[in-house]
Amino acid sequence: MSTALSPFHIAIPVHNLEQCRTFYRDILKCEEGRSSEHWVDFNFFGHQLVIHYKEKSNEDLVTNPVDGKSVPVPHYGVVLPWDTFQEFSKSIASKVNFIIEPYIRFEGLVGEQATMFFLDPAGNALEFKAFKDLNQLFAK
């Protein structure tokens, strides 16, 4: 298997296409690609994110404990370079309500990372993280 990083593709449900289109385009600064009445493509930090209309669900947010925090499941996101994470977290701080505010997880341990969690307008949980040492990404 190649070690070259390939862009991932993820499609997520949203109950308000226009509200979520504005969030991903204007708040997270993702470039919009193709779209229809039912879906919109975005360049999500070099990956393909597609938001698809789906009627609103009444499911409760489920969490698992990680490093003393309640991490939402499922969630998705991107591992950013350390400096990009710091800049990005500051740029969105007044525009999102964090589930878990930016902090250092597993500090001083294998897998030490900066992380943050927040929801999009449809209730999808996003995690952004960064490693000072990217070799720690899959470390045991």
Side-chain angles (χ1 to χ4, degrees):
M1 180 179 283
S2 172
T3 58
L5 193 60
S6 296
F8 70 75
H9 162 85
I10 187 169
I12 60 169
V14 300
H15 61 270
N16 186 318
L17 200 62
E18 287 308 312
Q19 186 181 31
C20 289
R21 169 185 258 149
T22 299
F23 176 80
Y24 284 97
R25 184 189 60 215
D26 299 346
I27 304 296
L28 300 188
K29 303 297 184 196
C30 297
E31 183 180 344
E32 186 174 326
R34 296 167 302 201
S35 65
S36 81
E37 294 177 13
H38 305 285
W39 56 269
V40 182
D41 279 347
F42 289 99
N43 177 344
F44 189 70
F45 299 85
H47 303 282
Q48 185 187 42
L49 168 69
V50 186
I51 58 173
H52 282 270
Y53 175 78
K54 179 184 176 207
E55 195 170 303
K56 188 173 183 172
S57 170
N58 291 323
E59 291 180 20
D60 291 332
L61 185 66
V62 176
T63 64
N64 280 331
V66 178
D67 193 37
K69 307 280 187 193
S70 296
V71 171
V73 177
H75 64 264
Y76 66 95
V78 177
V79 177
L80 299 172
W82 189 264
D83 292 340
T84 303
F85 176 93
Q86 303 304 324
E87 293 168 18
F88 180 64
S89 64
K90 288 176 188 168
S91 75
I92 64 168
S94 65
K95 301 171 187 167
V96 302
N97 293 318
F98 290 106
I99 297 172
I100 298 174
E101 293 194 14
Y103 84 107
I104 306 301
R105 177 192 286 164
F106 309 130
E107 194 163 5
L109 303 172
V110 173
E112 181 176 339
Q113 60 196 258
T115 186
M116 63 180 157
F117 286 83
F118 53 90
L119 301 177
D120 74 5
N124 295 300
L126 291 92
E127 177 186 19
F128 289 87
K129 60 172 67 177
F131 294 81
K132 281 188 178 176
D133 177 3
L134 194 54
N135 292 319
Q136 292 284 301
L137 182 62
F138 298 110
K140 293 183 178 183

